[in-house]
């Protein structure tokens, strides 16, 4: 072990010298990186089922596929699984919950419009014991009050009213999270509202959606503690023709309510040739803060596990080169039921972190200067050469200083956990 540590340190020192040659201080990059939290979504652990309903993820245009054994079925199991995953994810984390993960005492179940902070007290205890902040999401899917695929935009006033009450209840719960943890709670509003086929009225649902979100946001909160977001989407399964909360709708909503809510971009929610990396600096020209769901769409919003791919790296580079690490709220959002779910969490978490740390180890000022001086050949040459820097040695050093297993060893721990714990679940 000591030998291993020595090797990691030696390799890091070598790498540091190489980076210094490019004008990058890796010690500084690591110090900056350590401050930045990444929100870990509870819903990867149980295929987005939750604890307030019996069925599978039923609606809203999202879907998990696969039947890998070991899905968490109780709050205790989900917490244990998240704990396992978090021991393998280096660095600062937040916990990301959905309202459907309320924990009820036997016999006390309430519907989503009546949820209270006490239904999340066990999660607060869990977070506080581990020093985690909490992010939150009202759950506008997998529920009988979705009518014809609509919630907040439904023409039925009862339906809308129910979901508005749900949203307000969630603001109160978000307030409680912020108070208890001492960290802001990012509360994301996403609905799958839309139509399978060509609508006869596109504006009506959007006007209703707008008024409904405004009503939710009329519930009092301090914007530095509760940060409501609106997440857009291009289409979902069964809602292919029209989505109420489109990109233009949510962006304009957030712009009109700038002192009350943020725009949230999920990189699985755009046409396949659109890239969120390019949208980041566009939004940062106008919004003081923005939020993300980081995922991987394969041909559609398939919510595959995040990998260290080019576009993911470019998103991280934009956040860093815009100097916007403190203006960006980052959360993971994927759900793969076809592989070991702990490994899914860990791979996704570590991949985004690698993207971000490697973005911090990039000589952005030098690159920008080349661009501004019109030295495009040199810019291309340097951009290519940067790809070959010994980033793995910086990453290994980071894992080691966080006391977390390195790339070569963490998966063994997942295998052990699968054999000891997951394989005993029915
Ligand atoms: C769905 C959205 C949404 C959900 C989670 C579970 O397309 O991305 O954010 O994935 O709220
Ligand atoms: Zn999302």
């Amino acid at each position: 072990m000591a030998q291993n540590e020595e090797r990691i340190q030696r390799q890091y020192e070598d790498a540091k010298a190489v980076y210094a040659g490019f004008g990058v201080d890796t010690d500084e990059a690591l110090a900056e990186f350590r401050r930045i939290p990444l929100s870990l979504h509870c819903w990867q652990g149980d295929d987005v089922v939750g604890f307030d309903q019996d069925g599978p993820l039923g609606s809203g245009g999202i879907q998990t596929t696969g039947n890998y054994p070991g899905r968490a079925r109780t709050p205790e199991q989900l917490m244990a699984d998240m704990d396992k995953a978090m021991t393998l994810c280096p660095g600062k984390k937040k916990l990301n919950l959905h309202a459907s993960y309320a924990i009820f005492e036997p016999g006390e179940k309430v519907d989503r419009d009546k949820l209270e902070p006490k239904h999340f007290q066990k999660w607060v205890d869990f977070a506080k014991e581990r020093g985690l902040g909490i992010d939150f999401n009202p759950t506008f899917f997998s529920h009988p009050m979705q009518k014809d695929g609509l919630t907040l935009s439904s023409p039925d006033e009862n339906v809308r009213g129910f979901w508005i009450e749900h949203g307000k209840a969630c603001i109160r719960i978000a307030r409680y999270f912020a108070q208890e943890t001492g960290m802001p709670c990012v509360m994301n509003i996403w609905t799958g509202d839309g139509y399978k086929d060509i609508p006869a009225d596109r504006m009506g649902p959007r006007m209703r959606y707008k008024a409904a979100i405004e009503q939710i946001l009329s519930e009092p909160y301090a914007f530095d503690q509760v940060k409501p977001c609106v997440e857009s989407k291009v289409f979902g399964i069964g809602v292919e023709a029209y989505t109420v909360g489109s990109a233009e709708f949510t962006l304009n909503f957030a712009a009109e309510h700038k002192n009350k809510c943020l725009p949230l971009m999920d990189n699985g929610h755009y046409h396949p040739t659109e890239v969120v990396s390019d949208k980041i600096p566009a939004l940062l020209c106008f919004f003081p803060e923005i939020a993300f769901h980081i995922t991987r769409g394969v041909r559609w919003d398939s919510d595959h596990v995040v990998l260290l791919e080019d576009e993911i790296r470019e998103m991280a580079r934009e956040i860093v080169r815009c100097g916007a690490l403190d203006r960006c709220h980052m959360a993971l959002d994927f759900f793969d039921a076809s592989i070991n779910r702990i490994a899914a969490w860990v791979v996704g978490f570590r991949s985004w972190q690698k993207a971000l740390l490697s973005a911090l180890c990039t000589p952005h000022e030098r690159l920008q200067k080349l661009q501004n001086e019109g030295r495009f050949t040199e810019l291309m040459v340097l951009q290519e050469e940067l790809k070959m820097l010994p980033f793995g040695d910086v990453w290994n050093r980071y894992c080691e200083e966080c006391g977390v297993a390195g790339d070569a060893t963490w998966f063994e721990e997942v295998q052990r956990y699968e054999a000891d714990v997951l394989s005993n679940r029915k």
Side-chain angles (χ1 to χ4, degrees):
M1 191 63 194
Q3 229 179 356
N4 197 28
E5 275 168 35
E6 237 171 71
R7 184 178 50 78
I8 290 172
Q9 183 60 29
R10 205 174 50 242
Q11 288 175 339
Y12 174 69
E13 293 301 333
D14 286 347
K16 189 176 152 177
V18 175
Y19 275 96
F22 284 84
V24 172
D25 183 333
T26 51
D27 285 345
E28 257 175 37
L30 284 168
E32 176 75 344
F33 185 54
R34 256 177 248 129
R35 301 187 302 115
I36 307 301
L38 175 57
S39 201
L40 186 68
H41 56 314
C42 72
W43 53 91
Q44 164 60 63
D46 77 330
D47 310 341
V48 211
V49 174
F51 305 131
D52 73 344
Q53 52 119 27
D54 297 330
L57 166 62
S59 54
I62 54 176
Q63 201 172 16
T64 51
T65 53
N67 199 16
Y68 200 85
R71 178 174 84 76
R73 285 179 169 74
T74 64
E76 295 71 29
Q77 290 178 355
L78 187 57
M79 287 178 189
D81 291 359
M82 289 195 90
D83 257 340
K84 187 70 220 174
M86 284 191 289
T87 61
L88 303 173
C89 297
K92 202 162 160 187
K93 298 153 202 93
K94 287 179 93 179
L95 172 64
N96 205 356
L97 297 176
H98 244 282
S100 51
Y101 291 80
I103 301 175
F104 301 107
E105 294 301 326
E108 72 141 355
K109 196 176 157 191
V110 298
D111 211 343
R112 289 188 191 163
D113 57 336
K114 303 262 165 14
L115 283 172
E116 290 177 49
K118 68 175 182 191
H119 302 121
F120 293 87
Q121 196 215 308
K122 292 204 170 107
W123 283 114
V124 165
D125 294 343
F126 177 85
K128 278 166 109 175
E129 278 161 25
R130 290 155 185 78
L132 308 168
I134 308 179
D135 293 329
F136 197 43
N137 306 258
T139 311
F140 298 101
F141 52 83
S142 300
H143 193 282
M145 275 302 264
Q146 249 179 321
K147 192 173 165 192
D148 299 328
L150 304 182
T151 61
L152 289 172
S153 68
S154 170
D156 181 331
E157 214 178 309
N158 279 335
V159 170
R160 262 186 352 262
F162 174 85
W163 291 109
I164 289 167
E165 285 311 311
H166 175 55
K168 289 179 158 185
C170 286
I171 296 246
R172 295 191 288 271
I173 294 161
R175 237 163 41 202
Y176 160 71
F177 287 156
Q179 253 158 32
E180 291 291 322
T181 63
M183 285 173 247
C185 173
V186 175
M187 194 201 90
N188 179 48
I189 296 173
W190 172 77
T191 71
D193 288 23
Y195 287 114
K196 180 185 174 79
D197 226 321
I198 305 159
D201 176 15
R202 289 186 169 87
M203 188 168 157
R206 289 189 174 133
M207 289 305 285
R208 291 191 292 267
Y209 194 30
K210 177 171 183 269
I213 307 174
E214 280 164 353
Q215 284 200 50
I216 292 174
L217 301 187
S218 73
E219 184 69 28
Y221 58 91
F223 194 35
D224 58 344
Q225 286 175 36
V226 173
K227 295 184 181 289
C229 304
V230 280
E231 177 181 11
S232 69
K233 189 156 178 172
V234 62
F235 79 94
I237 297 183
V239 279
E240 289 87 357
Y242 165 77
T243 296
V244 183
S246 60
E248 293 76 10
F249 175 89
T250 55
L251 262 186
N252 281 291
F253 185 94
E256 193 177 310
H257 300 83
K258 224 180 199 169
N259 54 353
K260 297 205 87 171
C261 87
L262 313 178
L264 185 145
M265 293 192 286
D266 178 315
N267 61 310
H269 289 191
Y270 297 87
H271 285 285
T273 58
E274 280 183 77
V275 282
V276 165
S277 55
D278 186 62
K279 299 176 193 297
I280 292 169
L283 264 60
L284 286 171
C285 292
F286 299 96
F287 291 96
E289 291 173 55
I290 59 178
F292 297 95
H293 273 180
I294 302 156
T295 190
R296 178 166 55 108
V298 178
R299 308 196 187 284
W300 64 288
D301 179 40
S302 56
D303 289 288
H304 280 64
V305 175
V306 173
L307 303 179
L308 189 56
E309 291 182 323
D310 284 351
E311 167 55 10
I312 283 291
R313 304 185 69 150
E314 194 62 17
M315 283 168 60
R317 274 195 289 262
E318 279 301 338
I319 293 171
V320 170
R321 67 164 76 107
C322 292
L325 275 168
D326 294 312
R327 295 168 62 193
C328 292
H329 302 277
M330 300 173 253
L332 298 170
D333 180 16
F334 50 79
F335 25 95
D336 192 336
S338 75
I339 57 175
N340 180 301
R341 294 171 184 80
I342 315 281
W345 263 319
V346 176
V347 170
F349 192 97
R350 291 170 74 115
S351 296
W352 176 250
Q353 278 199 314
K354 286 175 188 171
L356 213 50
L357 180 56
S358 116
L360 279 161
C361 295
T362 302
H364 296 294
E365 278 174 25
R366 189 169 157 198
L367 293 163
Q368 277 158 10
K369 192 162 179 279
L370 292 176
Q371 174 176 318
N372 290 336
E373 291 174 358
R375 292 152 68 186
F376 299 115
T377 314
E378 277 170 85
L379 176 60
M380 182 192 280
V381 170
L382 181 54
Q383 280 173 326
E384 279 306 282
E385 288 183 358
L386 290 172
K387 293 178 182 169
M388 297 304 286
L389 296 194
F391 174 69
D393 297 333
V394 181
W395 172 254
N396 288 339
R397 169 86 184 114
Y398 180 66
C399 290
E400 204 228 27
E401 73 180 34
C402 293
V404 166
D407 277 2
T409 51
W410 68 262
F411 187 59
E412 289 161 24
E413 287 194 38
V414 174
Q415 285 175 308
R416 219 171 300 132
Y417 188 76
E418 176 166 321
D420 296 347
V421 179
L422 299 179
S423 66
N424 299 321
R425 290 183 191 161
K426 296 211 181 60

